[in-house]
Each structure stands twice: as C-alpha cells, then as structure tokens.
Amino acid sequence: GNSVTQMEGPVTLSEEAFLTINCTYTATGYPSLFWYVQYPGEGLQLLLKATKADDKGSNKGFEATYRKETTSFHLEKGSVQVSDSAVYFCALRGRNSGYSTLTFGKGTMLLVSP
Amino acid sequence: KAGVTQTPRYLIKTRGQQVTLSCSPISGHRSVSWYQQTPGQGLQFLFEYFSETQRNKGNFPGRFSGRQFSNSRSEMNVSTLELGDSALYLCASSLGPGLAGGPPHEQYFGPGTRLTVT
C-alpha cells in the first residue's frame, strides 16, 4: 500500500535560516505529491503540489521537487520567518483508478524563533 | 468563494453517547472526504462521498458512518462514543475524482471539529 515517511520534529530554527524537511514515499504507479501546513487550532492548508516526476511545486517561498528516482519530495525554504511556525504534512494521492485517498506522513513541527 | 465550513467547531460528549458532525463543501464541489486526526495515529482517512454515494472507506469500525445530501453537504456520525474517539475531525472537499488515469483534484480542508469524549 501507499505510505509516506517524513522526518520527525520538532525542527527548531532561527529566523532567516534555511529549512529542509525530508519526505519519502512508497506508492504504486505515479502518485501526486502534496505538502500541507497546519497552523495551531486550524485545519490543513495546501501549501504546494506536484503531479509528475521532476515537477517543482512552489508557494510562499517554499519549494519541493518530485524525485521519482529517490521517491522523495523534500520541502525547502531559503529563509524562514517566525510566521512559518506550524506543522507540515507530506502527502500523496494515487492516480485515478477509482477514488484514491490522501495518505499523510506523521507531520513535522517547525518552530522558528526571532 | 467561501471555504469549507464545519459545525460545530468544538464538542464535548460522554462515553456511550452519539455525535453528528456537519460539513459544507466549497460551492461547486461534489466530493467530501472525512479524516480523523489524533496525536498518536496522525491523519487517517474515514470515508469519501461523491454524488451522495460513499465511494471509499477507511479502516474504521461500523460505529463511524456518514452520508451526503443532494446539495453535497455531508454529515458523519459516531455512535457509542469511546474515549479513543477524541480527535480533530477534518472534512475536505474537492470538485470530484478527476479524469481517469489523471491527477486527482485538490482537496481543500475545513477547520475541523474538535471532539472530546469524557
């Protein structure tokens, strides 16, 4: 079955530091890959996505590249801000052969200090 | 366009009771999925509805059920509540399953309903 593994947190950084959150996946075929962010007391927000190999998703300074050869989708940001403090979830969803569901990683908490 | 709305936002119930949670999808969206989020198990898929029919179901006991109405609004029900049902229940809406063989439509999540069972 499908599975997503992401690095455990919390990840603690100072403002303006470089961020990497690792994510690897196991899936049959060619899934779509997603990063979601959850701020305290809120639901999930889609941060970025990639639907095929070598696609780069980007949004709000965050980037992730779909690497089929390493089955990875690592999240990066060049300069984090305090407002980026949240929990980040890597997820995948299979190509359409029915109604495939989102499979999530465990989440990585990011704490950014001023 | 209004986002996904979930009611109520917070709920406290006692063991053995039942509860109904409601989700209103984004206008034009016909698919609604439900997820349970707990610190121990993370995010787990409950079920998905499209055009009033359950299309997919996760690995949860029969105490968990749902339905979708003709206006795409969805409800989920949990009967005979247990302490372990305490969780954040998230609803997500999308346009639908997408084209066969293609990438699925994005899912947009609501703020969730925080259920506490005492």
Side-chain angles (χ1 to χ4, degrees):
Chain A
N2 296 338
S3 67
V4 175
T5 303
Q6 59 183 107
M7 59 191 290
E8 290 191 24
V11 173
T12 305
L13 295 173
S14 297
E15 205 165 26
E16 299 184 3
F18 184 85
L19 168 71
T20 299
I21 300 178
N22 291 336
C23 170
T24 57
Y25 68 90
T26 302
T28 54
Y30 301 90
S32 292
L33 302 175
F34 306 86
W35 277 101
Y36 283 86
V37 59
Q38 186 174 36
Y39 297 100
E42 297 184 13
L44 300 176
Q45 296 178 25
L46 177 64
L47 182 59
L48 52 83
K49 68 174 184 179
T51 59
K52 60 182 187 296
D54 300 324
D55 265 2
K56 178 187 281 189
S58 61
N59 185 27
K60 299 181 182 179
F62 291 90
E63 293 181 342
T65 301
Y66 190 140
R67 301 287 188 200
K68 188 173 184 302
E69 64 277 12
T70 54
T71 61
S72 64
F73 192 55
H74 304 321
L75 182 68
E76 296 181 336
K77 187 175 186 185
S79 177
V80 294
Q81 305 300 311
V82 173
S83 58
D84 293 327
S85 297
V87 181
Y88 292 81
F89 293 91
C90 184
L92 69 82
R93 195 170 183 196
R95 308 290 279 193
N96 286 326
S97 56
Y99 291 79
S100 61
T101 69
L102 274 169
T103 300
F104 289 91
K106 293 288 190 183
T108 302
M109 180 178 287
L110 170 65
L111 299 171
V112 181
S113 56
Chain B
K1 209 183 246 189
V4 179
T5 57
Q6 292 187 246
T7 56
R9 291 291 310 277
Y10 302 91
L11 207 48
I12 300 175
K13 292 285 189 179
T14 56
R15 276 180 298 176
Q17 287 186 313
Q18 70 141 17
V19 67
T20 299
L21 312 181
S22 180
C23 171
S24 293
I26 292 170
S27 177
H29 285 193
R30 296 171 60 197
S31 175
V32 172
S33 298
W34 289 89
Y35 295 83
Q36 182 196 63
Q37 184 179 22
T38 59
Q41 299 299 316
L43 282 150
Q44 294 184 285
F45 170 75
L46 280 156
F47 25 66
E48 178 176 9
Y49 287 87
F50 177 75
S51 292
E52 302 177 64
T53 302
Q54 188 180 89
R55 304 291 179 164
N56 211 342
K57 188 177 189 302
N59 190 25
F60 278 81
R63 300 185 297 107
F64 291 81
S65 64
R67 59 179 176 168
Q68 187 180 35
F69 302 95
S70 58
N71 61 358
S72 295
R73 190 177 70 86
S74 177
E75 290 181 348
M76 67 163 281
N77 184 78
V78 188
S79 62
T80 319
L81 283 165
E82 300 177 0
L83 294 179
D85 297 333
S86 294
L88 180 67
Y89 289 88
L90 292 164
C91 164
S93 80
S94 74
L95 287 169
L99 297 175
H105 289 301
E106 293 169 19
Q107 291 192 338
Y108 296 86
F109 284 80
T113 293
R114 172 75 63 186
L115 172 65
T116 302
V117 182
T118 62

